[in-house]
Amino acid sequence: MAGRDLRALFSTNDRSLETAEAFTNRHTQWEVVAAALSEHLHRVARPDFDVEDLEASRANVVVFHGVGGIGKTTLSRKLEAALAGAEARPVQWGEPSWGETRILPVRIDLARSAGNDFERIVLTIRLALAEIGRPLPAFDLALRRYWEAQHPGESLEEYVSRGGFATRFGKGLSQQMQSALSDVAQALLLPGTVGSVVGQVTGSLVRALRERRQTVRALAGCVRLADLLDAEPDLDALSFYPHLLAWELAQLPSDKQAVPVVLFDTFEEIGDRTHRDLERLIQRVVWLMPNAFFVITGRARLQWADEALQGQLDFTGPAAWPGLASRHHVPAARAAGRAPGPNRQVLIGDFAPEDCDDYLARRLSHHGRPLISSPIRDVITGRSHGLPLHLDLSVMRFLEIRRTRTPLPADFDHDFPALIARTLSDLSAEERHVLRSVSLLDAFDLRLATHTAGLAHQASAQRLIERPFVRENPFSLWPFHLHALIRSTIRTADDATDDRWTPADWTAAAERALAALGAQWTAASSRDRILLVGCLRQGLAVARDHHLDLGWLTDATWAYIGDSVWEPLAPPAQPGTENAMATAADALVELLSTLSRRQHEHRTLSIGRLTAVIDSGLLPPELRDVGVYYRAKAERDLGRTQESRNGMQHVAEAGGRLAPAARRGLAHLARLAGDFPTALATARTLGWAGRHHRVEGDVWWVQASMDRAAASYAAARTEAEEHGIAGERATSQAQRALVIAFTDPAGAADELELAEQLLTGLNLRTTTLTTKVAALVRDAGDTTADVEDRCRMLRAEIDTTGIVAAAALLELATAFHHAVLNGHDQVGASISRVRNLTGENSDYGYYADIAAYMADLPLPAPSCVRWIDSEEQTRARWRSLVTTRRAQLGRRT
């Protein structure tokens, strides 16, 4: 449904422009209301329902809360109209289940601009009930007594007429009240007109009720009426009179019965969370009218179920309001088996992209077609993150630009300062301070928010997380995060508020945020990998965006590198920032993101990015050497032996934390060149830091000494487990699976399964490729295992990485398969591919020799490889692996 959008209409001289106050479907919220109201009607219709039971818990309220501009007021109006009649209810909402039951909706705007005080709220509810067409004598007598005491000389009828109530509700109330007072006076046999004997009527009625006279038996059933009429007729007493309304409604005959639905909108404006005077009075209305239904819309959750409010409000705690109790502290998975009942606190979510587009398309039209073009609608939708207020502001911006020129999509890649004002409007000064502080963070918890804000207590942060623009994921490391649009606007839009921050304020907050993240990481277990990655990801973003010193990020970088897991780390850049490196934090972000990405891209790209980081000169020497070392590894993978050796030599001679790894790299280079005695001798000097056992295994398996290699890899895996290095553990196990695949195909299946388990959650491209090659070796010679097709597919995958080691290893596995099948030509093809991979470089040249040994083929020329044993012994061992596999498969040698 849509009405005229007057703001848009008066923003242009174009009379052909068609404007509509678009209403986007809120089907989910209607379903919540319809289900809750149906349940309410069923409950109040039960024979055991007692409207005077003041101790039973209440389930007569639904709360919709959400950020400013999310569409709460529009929803409240639409619900009122839909409850009033089917003609105003969107077709897609469907028919309600309450059939012929009479629903009397009344919406009350609690905004300060609406001028509603508690008197007007109570009077509005009573006026809405005038539609029933019957007096409500118990309430009407009490209200008339209150009015004459509090407003001497001003009749209630005059006030109703002057206050605009008569236009909205008609004049039935005056007649009903006069009828009620006349009936009571007549029952008491009192003389005179009603207007002159109100005080006498109430006094006489109280005496009659206490004496239990038969003449007032119609009102005697209301056991608390006499006490209410006896009480001082002040505002506090007025707040208890709704009990009389509830009782009167319960006495109505079946053909007159109706259920009032009261919609309180803009609930956040009835006061703040320190002074709850009006909220206390309104809560009494809800509690004392259990047969009425209430729909409350506001920015914050309703806190009535919080036991901490005992004393500030009359009725508090989860026992009183089970549907309002907060459940976000316990994830659903942990709450299994509980039955807390329906949740009546509903966060109004953002519009879906298709709803945003529909809203923008229908909001402005020209000759029946959308005025805002599809490309512009796409930009606005993407920028809005589903917030209706952003859509509304964008429409007004569209009209403003259209006065002078044709709007373009780029015009709407835009933040609106008005969003800041709307977000901050009902926050305390400390809450606004916390909000700006946590906008620096992707996610936070109470402690992190408090320390980032520089506060000594958590109260302000606790209040902030209850706001609807703070979202929660209880399974996350830090459970809370800001609504994406609110966060980006606070950080980037021009802030015109009185307490806006200066650049120095933002820098100070960034320093506090970085320090708080570092404190959380250093205080935790050194093996808490999730916390390490989370702190690094957030800390890198804060340091980069605010040009801060690295501080604890240096030590965290070493912890990240040491595990060889390589989770993605690169935080998103702030909008409008340049990609060029300008600070040490910029360079560190690029360094670590390159180390992560190298698992998924060609090594030449990694080398280019690492070279840029190294040449920037922004990193301290020890971190610069991280780039040098991993560039050398990438160069080794590409077969650039000399460049790799130079880099490894530089890092080894520098004596830093990567020196043992660099010495291991030099041992690998010796192995690749076929100098196995040197590689083995170097491995024995490396110790755990240089991964000595794995390097020894790398030497032994190419000698076909598979048992010694398997033992070395097992020792390497055990050491990695002891040191908590997940990446090293997985790599060692993958290598063990490879060597066992040559000798024991059945046992290799278990080893491969373990390797795949250890790789779960890790980003180790080369190791993953090793497990795939190991599976081919395990199946070598089996003509039913599609080995050749799998080889072709894996060869294509390896080509995308540029990793020569993986490509050479695959050719060795292929040669083993064909040697078992006695396919000398195919083995020769594998030998040729290995030589093509290495070119003039001698690295991995021994793979060609091994392939020839497997098939018992002569070498075309004398080999330069230095085996641990003689060439003849090495040839014999490799040939034995082939003949043994043939025997296992039942093939003739």
Side-chain angles (χ1 to χ4, degrees):
M1 303 297 293
R4 295 291 278 173
D5 180 358
L6 295 180
R7 285 191 305 144
L9 188 66
F10 282 85
S11 296
T12 178
N13 293 327
D14 186 354
R15 296 186 180 182
S16 65
L17 178 66
E18 300 167 20
T19 67
E21 190 68 63
F23 176 76
T24 298
N25 180 31
R26 286 289 191 181
H27 182 263
T28 302
Q29 285 76 39
W30 167 253
E31 286 184 338
V32 171
V33 171
L37 181 54
S38 296
E39 182 183 325
H40 173 78
L41 296 174
H42 178 74
R43 182 172 56 255
V44 300
R46 292 200 314 247
D48 61 343
F49 177 77
D50 182 4
V51 75
E52 293 187 288
D53 185 349
L54 301 182
E55 296 181 0
S57 62
R58 295 298 192 254
N60 61 333
V61 59
V62 166
V63 180
F64 293 106
H65 60 106
V67 298
I70 199 66
K72 301 179 296 296
T73 293
T74 303
L75 174 64
S76 181
R77 289 173 177 159
K78 181 54 61 176
L79 289 173
E80 180 190 27
L83 291 168
E87 66 278 359
R89 187 169 57 245
V91 175
Q92 60 268 36
W93 283 10
E95 291 292 327
S97 60
W98 49 81
E100 299 300 321
T101 303
R102 190 179 184 187
I103 305 295
L104 293 179
V106 53
R107 180 177 171 275
I108 301 175
D109 188 351
L110 298 174
R112 296 181 182 93
S113 59
N116 273 314
D117 55 21
F118 186 66
E119 281 184 354
R120 289 180 64 88
I121 291 170
V122 173
L123 192 55
T124 299
I125 296 174
R126 175 60 186 94
L127 283 162
L129 296 177
E131 188 177 334
I132 296 173
R134 289 177 61 96
L136 305 175
F139 176 84
D140 291 349
L141 185 60
L143 178 62
R144 177 58 68 96
R145 177 171 179 266
Y146 166 85
W147 194 267
E148 293 195 357
Q150 296 298 323
H151 299 271
E154 180 183 23
S155 73
L156 181 58
E157 289 78 10
E158 291 175 356
Y159 178 80
V160 168
S161 178
R162 188 176 65 252
F165 291 108
T167 302
R168 183 178 178 188
F169 298 106
K171 299 181 179 180
L173 176 62
S174 177
Q175 298 170 355
Q176 291 173 18
M177 293 188 80
Q178 290 177 10
S179 175
L181 293 175
S182 296
D183 290 346
V184 173
Q186 184 177 357
L188 294 171
L189 303 177
L190 296 174
T193 63
V194 172
S196 63
V197 297
V198 171
Q200 186 179 354
V201 168
T202 56
S204 299
L205 178 58
V206 169
R207 288 192 298 274
L209 290 171
R210 296 199 187 283
E211 293 171 3
R212 300 182 180 180
R213 298 180 197 170
Q214 284 297 311
T215 56
V216 292
R217 62 181 180 275
L219 295 175
C222 185
V223 297
R224 296 178 178 87
L225 175 58
D227 294 316
L228 287 173
L229 292 177
D230 236 358
E232 181 69 24
D234 55 16
L235 190 66
D236 195 56
L238 178 64
S239 69
F240 289 98
Y241 292 174
H243 171 71
L244 303 176
L245 270 183
W247 183 82
E248 290 282 13
L249 287 170
Q251 310 313 308
L252 293 173
S254 57
D255 62 333
K256 291 291 185 180
Q257 285 186 352
V259 176
V261 177
V262 183
L263 300 103
F264 286 124
D265 189 29
T266 329
F267 202 80
E268 71 273 6
E269 294 205 28
I270 66 171
D272 58 39
R273 298 190 175 195
T274 303
H275 305 93
R276 297 178 180 265
D277 297 336
L278 182 54
E279 183 178 5
R280 183 173 63 254
L281 300 177
I282 291 178
Q283 191 204 50
R284 283 180 189 164
V285 173
V286 179
W287 185 269
L288 296 174
M289 296 186 70
N291 51 351
F293 189 75
F294 296 85
V295 179
I296 296 176
T297 47
R299 292 192 182 183
R301 287 179 56 254
L302 208 58
Q303 295 181 304
W304 295 353
D306 296 349
E307 293 178 338
L309 292 184
Q310 187 173 13
Q312 296 186 63
L313 300 174
D314 293 348
F315 311 98
T316 58
W321 307 95
L324 304 182
S326 174
R327 298 168 196 171
H328 65 272
H329 301 297
V330 182
R334 301 182 205 162
R338 304 184 184 185
N343 181 17
R344 296 292 171 80
Q345 299 252 37
V346 181
L347 177 66
I348 300 181
D350 304 322
F351 283 178
E354 55 270 23
D355 286 337
C356 293
D357 187 77
D358 180 64
Y359 177 98
L360 294 168
R362 290 190 291 117
R363 183 68 180 276
L364 300 175
S365 58
H366 187 264
H367 299 307
R369 301 184 64 182
L371 186 64
I372 304 177
S373 67
S374 180
I376 292 179
R377 297 201 305 268
D378 289 344
V379 173
I380 296 174
T381 295
R383 188 78 185 211
S384 73
H385 292 278
L387 187 66
L389 177 58
H390 184 94
L391 304 178
D392 186 53
L393 293 170
S394 296
V395 168
M396 302 312 294
R397 178 173 173 81
F398 180 91
L399 292 173
E400 179 184 351
I401 295 172
R402 187 171 177 264
R403 293 172 194 159
T404 57
R405 61 177 175 84
T406 300
L408 301 172
D411 295 325
F412 297 89
D413 189 13
H414 180 77
D415 286 317
F416 292 101
L419 283 173
I420 299 179
R422 289 287 294 270
T423 303
L424 301 181
S425 61
D426 61 335
L427 303 184
S428 68
E430 278 200 348
E431 286 177 285
R432 293 197 296 270
H433 179 78
V434 177
L435 174 61
R436 287 189 171 97
S437 299
V438 297
S439 71
L440 297 169
L441 301 169
D442 296 330
F444 54 91
D445 56 18
L446 272 178
R447 183 176 59 170
L448 186 57
T450 302
H451 290 171
T452 299
L455 300 178
H457 50 81
Q458 293 185 347
S460 298
Q462 177 65 55
R463 291 195 301 272
L464 185 75
I465 66 172
E466 296 172 356
R467 301 289 182 170
F469 50 75
V470 177
R471 306 297 170 83
E472 182 182 15
N473 180 354
F475 296 102
S476 293
L477 176 60
W478 295 287
F480 305 109
H481 63 277
L482 294 181
H483 184 285
L485 180 62
I486 300 298
R487 182 187 179 208
S488 66
T489 302
I490 287 174
R491 295 182 68 189
T492 60
D494 293 331
D495 189 345
T497 56
D498 291 340
D499 60 349
R500 60 186 177 275
W501 277 7
T502 66
D505 292 330
W506 283 107
T507 299
E511 290 172 346
R512 292 193 301 268
L514 186 62
L517 288 165
Q520 282 203 9
W521 173 62
T522 55
S525 165
S526 61
R527 294 191 178 185
D528 192 338
R529 182 74 183 182
I530 296 175
L531 180 63
L532 166 66
V533 172
C535 288
L536 257 179
R537 189 174 286 134
Q538 292 219 71
L540 285 168
V542 171
R544 179 199 62 195
D545 295 341
H546 296 273
H547 295 187
L548 304 182
D549 293 335
L550 296 180
W552 62 270
L553 290 170
T554 297
D555 288 336
T557 295
W558 287 112
Y560 172 79
I561 292 171
D563 280 351
S564 299
V565 178
W566 313 118
E567 303 91 332
L569 271 184
Q574 273 192 335
T577 58
E578 296 296 330
N579 293 326
M581 291 177 283
T583 68
D586 290 327
L588 186 55
V589 167
E590 180 64 13
L591 171 64
L592 295 183
S593 65
T594 300
L595 296 186
S596 173
R597 285 196 302 248
R598 72 194 176 95
Q599 304 298 328
H600 307 285
E601 65 185 15
H602 199 280
R603 288 298 194 261
T604 55
L605 297 175
S606 300
I607 290 172
R609 292 192 176 105
L610 290 171
T611 298
V613 171
I614 295 165
D615 293 346
S616 71
L618 295 170
L619 290 175
E622 60 176 338
L623 291 181
R624 179 183 180 275
D625 282 352
V626 173
V628 174
Y629 171 75
Y630 283 99
R631 182 177 66 179
K633 285 191 67 175
E635 287 168 336
R636 184 186 70 203
D637 289 341
L638 292 177
R640 302 176 185 176
T641 305
Q642 191 55 50
E643 293 90 336
S644 178
R645 183 174 288 106
N646 292 341
M648 293 293 182
Q649 194 68 47
H650 168 84
V651 176
E653 291 174 355
R657 298 194 215 192
L658 282 177
R663 288 193 291 272
R664 178 178 75 245
L666 292 172
H668 282 315
L669 289 169
R671 173 176 58 84
L672 299 187
D675 187 357
F676 298 118
T678 299
L680 185 60
T682 304
R684 289 167 175 166
T685 68
L686 295 176
W688 154 249
R691 310 296 192 259
H692 56 140
H693 287 309
R694 177 157 64 87
V695 178
E696 289 175 4
D698 291 343
V699 173
W700 285 122
W701 83 264
V702 291
Q703 317 299 312
S705 297
M706 299 305 183
D707 291 342
R708 300 180 72 173
S712 295
Y713 288 133
R717 184 192 62 204
T718 299
E719 274 195 335
E721 289 172 348
E722 293 170 351
H723 288 82
I725 308 301
E728 176 63 23
R729 181 180 60 176
T731 297
S732 298
Q733 177 59 31
Q735 290 295 130
R736 176 176 166 82
L738 173 67
V739 299
I740 291 177
F742 278 103
T743 60
D744 182 9
D750 293 336
E751 299 293 338
L752 275 171
E753 182 178 358
L754 176 58
E756 289 165 357
Q757 290 176 1
L758 297 181
L759 276 168
T760 302
L762 304 184
N763 246 336
L764 298 174
R765 185 70 173 272
T766 302
T767 301
T768 300
L769 294 174
T770 298
T771 62
K772 294 181 179 181
V773 174
L776 293 173
V777 172
R778 176 199 60 197
D779 297 335
D782 186 347
T783 56
T784 67
D786 298 325
V787 173
E788 294 184 40
D789 287 341
R790 289 157 57 196
C791 284
R792 281 191 290 271
M793 294 174 62
L794 186 55
R795 187 175 292 117
E797 180 181 349
I798 291 173
D799 286 346
T800 65
T801 69
I803 302 175
V804 174
L809 182 61
L810 174 61
E811 296 307 330
L812 188 65
T814 304
F816 183 56
H817 171 68
H818 289 298
V820 173
L821 295 176
N822 207 25
H824 288 180
D825 291 342
Q826 291 87 345
V827 173
S830 294
I831 292 173
S832 297
R833 283 193 291 269
V834 169
R835 288 174 176 161
N836 289 335
L837 284 170
T838 59
E840 297 180 358
N841 195 325
S842 61
D843 290 347
Y844 300 105
Y846 54 86
Y847 277 10
D849 291 6
I850 291 173
Y853 297 164
M854 289 176 177
D856 200 21
L857 297 175
L859 298 181
S863 174
C864 297
V865 177
R866 296 181 61 209
W867 303 100
I868 300 297
D869 298 325
S870 66
E871 177 182 338
E872 291 74 15
Q873 291 174 299
T874 305
R875 174 186 282 269
R877 285 194 296 268
W878 278 111
R879 181 61 181 170
S880 176
L881 292 176
V882 172
T883 56
T884 300
R885 176 63 59 87
R886 286 178 177 174
Q888 291 169 340
L889 293 171
R891 295 180 180 278
R892 290 180 298 174
T893 58

